Amino acid sequence: MCGIVGCITNGTEAPEILLKGLKRLEYRGYDSAGIAVLNGADIRTIREVGKLCQLETALADLDLPSAVGLGHTRWATHGRPTEVNAHPHRDASGKIVVVHNGIIENFRQLRDELEKEGVTFTSETDSEIIAHLIARFYEGDLAEAVRLATRRLRGAWAIGAMHADHPEILVGARKDCPLVVGLGDDEMLLASDVTAVLDRTQKVVFLDDGQTAKLTRTSLEIVDEEGHPVDWTATVIGWSLSQAERGGFPHFMLKEIFEQPTVVSDTLLGRLEDDGEHGVLADLGMSADELTTVGRVHIIACGTSWHAGHVAKFLVERIARIPVDVDYASEFRYREPVLGEHDLVVAVSQSGETADTIAALRMAKAAGCRTLGICNVIGSTIHREADGSLMTHAGPEIGVASTKAFTGQLTALVLLALELGRMNGRLSQEEDARWSDRLRALPGQIELCLKRADDVHEVALKYVSAQDFLFIGRGINYPIALEGALKLKEISYIHAEGYPAGEMKHGPIALVDSRMPIVALCTHSNVREKVITNVEEARVRDARVIVVANDGDDEVQPIADDILWVPRVDDLLSPIINVVPLQLLSYFIARERGADVDQPRNLAKSVTVE
Ligand code: F6R
């Protein structure tokens, strides 16, 4: 959601470094932005409502040579998106400046307390209290004051702090919100996301909950909640800067859709049973015995990741014959689920930082379940806190609407289903080998779908002005209908619903007329003919129908106004193929409508608050 960048350098370009870093965080979603830089003996703060170009324009009129600074993009939670509510915030003396991501749950109580002590607040935010609290504890050591201040906070935070009297240091602290330190060449950086520092360094240190970090240009000291020094190790990030840039595509989303063949092959790399490497067992954090005794799987996730989890229900139940429950993490955490010691709880999350998914994971751990994270971001909270992990290798996903991370998740979930089937003896060696062949063929089959992007574009042009859409599918493609509808609504702002096709007669068919296009997933499976019947029922009520069908399937011609052709694959793998034309359809419709495809309104890439 919000983004933090900080730098301490040996030059005078802090404003430029901060602005560049903030631009790399734009994808997270924000409604105001600001920077604070040390300028002479003072700290200058510049804040603007709206996009970063406004901040850039404001900075262009100023001459602010500086070596040290903090920057922030804010996505409003407490207080409207105004200039006074934008970060950085200051204490009363104006010497201490902070930026904050997260939510301080006890801020009202702390604000009352500070007001009684005579502090005057200038904003409506929960974040401003942090600056005043640090001031209260400050006795010459900023890092210690930050540590003591955080001990009074309840909630979630990533904090960057600086002091006008200490131009040589920056301080960072975190709990339940990501924060990394970038170890640069004669400089240090602080950021909420590695993407923000990648053009300056690939060497980073992920801070853990409760830690406070003191950065100078050449040193890093980390202490825990009690102030005890903590040893740290740097991680070298394998993502190149160009991976995080658009690479010639008009939008990150389109680039990411086109990266899916690579994502699938990277996620499979070294993990198929017959390629002689370690398979997935080594990553899972569970012994073969533990895997053998898994009696139930619970999948917890949000949004698109929840759709991947729903597909996994079909995969695990069909391949390993283990019952699977799929929950929205936000529901799971409050519904008092029945959990047992032989249950495996799988948290699926691209970012690994989604607040509800983290809370649900912690609940499952506390209940004594084995936990597994399927994440895309190394070092993320879910990656670190789950007992084991199966990383997707999708690289940074910048477009707010998830595409390549989804296909990466589906691929990882197939691998998980196979491993469970292998362990409990439900998967024969012959069948296992067939799965390897089918999975290896997938990247080429996705390529084929992408080669047809122009055809999808042509279809999209016919539906640009629709107001409502229905997406229908059955079985393992029902979650893909949900995902198709979610993609369309979030980036084009067209109202869209996903339904299991068999449910049409129980209500939604009342909506059907010539103004309601229907997208139907009719690829080969045991329920294909049933979906065709459901489509016919809609057509006789004047619906315009776009069908996703397998190459050469003549039977769908009569029921379709338009057809999105895809290669035929095993039914259980069809979601990975079928979602591709739906992603493209949403993308082209949104683009034609002039929508901000990569940063849809009201959405944030990483939902780090409940
Ligand atoms: C939709 C989308 C969201 C995310 C959801 C969970 O395109 O991106 O629905 O899937 O916010 O995010 P992660 O996977 O990071 O936990």
Side-chain angles (χ1 to χ4, degrees), residues 276-288:
E277 295 199 32
H278 57 72
V280 291
L281 191 56
D283 296 334
L284 294 182
M286 292 173 77
S287 66

Side-chain angles (χ1 to χ4, degrees), residues 537-594:
E537 289 159 0
R539 264 182 82 80
V540 296
R541 287 162 180 87
D542 295 332
R544 288 192 294 161
V545 182
I546 304 170
V547 164
V548 178
N550 287 135
D551 291 337
D553 184 353
D554 294 335
E555 284 177 46
V556 297
Q557 297 275 6
I559 61 156
D561 292 277
D562 291 288
I563 303 179
L564 305 176
W565 295 109
V566 292
R568 183 169 177 175
V569 299
D570 185 276
D571 178 27
L572 288 182
L573 294 182
S574 63
I576 301 180
I577 297 296
N578 293 351
V579 76
V580 177
L582 300 191
Q583 294 167 341
L584 288 167
L585 185 71
S586 300
Y587 170 77
F588 288 125
I589 291 178
R591 194 171 88 179
E592 293 300 328
R593 287 167 72 103

Side-chain angles (χ1 to χ4, degrees), residues 301-307 348-355 357 374 382 397 399-403 405 409 483 486-487 490-491 603-607:
C302 301
T304 288
S305 299
W306 183 85
H307 296 154
V348 185
S349 173
Q350 185 284 129
S351 60
E353 299 294 352
T354 299
T357 314
I374 297 205
I382 292 175
E397 189 176 65
V400 166
S402 186
T403 53
Q409 288 167 346
E483 175 61 7
L486 179 66
K487 267 326 59 114
E490 66 185 339
I491 62 169
L603 293 181
K605 182 69 185 161
S606 183
V607 184

Side-chain angles (χ1 to χ4, degrees), residues 269-291:
L269 206 67
R271 289 167 163 177
L272 291 174
E273 186 60 5
D274 55 1
D275 63 10
E277 295 199 32
H278 57 72
V280 291
L281 191 56
D283 296 334
L284 294 182
M286 292 173 77
S287 66
D289 276 354
E290 281 173 315
L291 272 182

Side-chain angles (χ1 to χ4, degrees), residues 9-36:
T9 74
N10 68 355
T12 54
E13 289 171 359
E16 290 79 8
I17 294 170
L18 297 176
L19 202 58
K20 244 182 163 177
L22 291 178
K23 280 186 182 165
R24 298 205 192 290
L25 298 180
E26 275 198 294
Y27 70 92
R28 296 170 71 101
Y30 66 102
D31 40 43
S32 55
I35 66 164

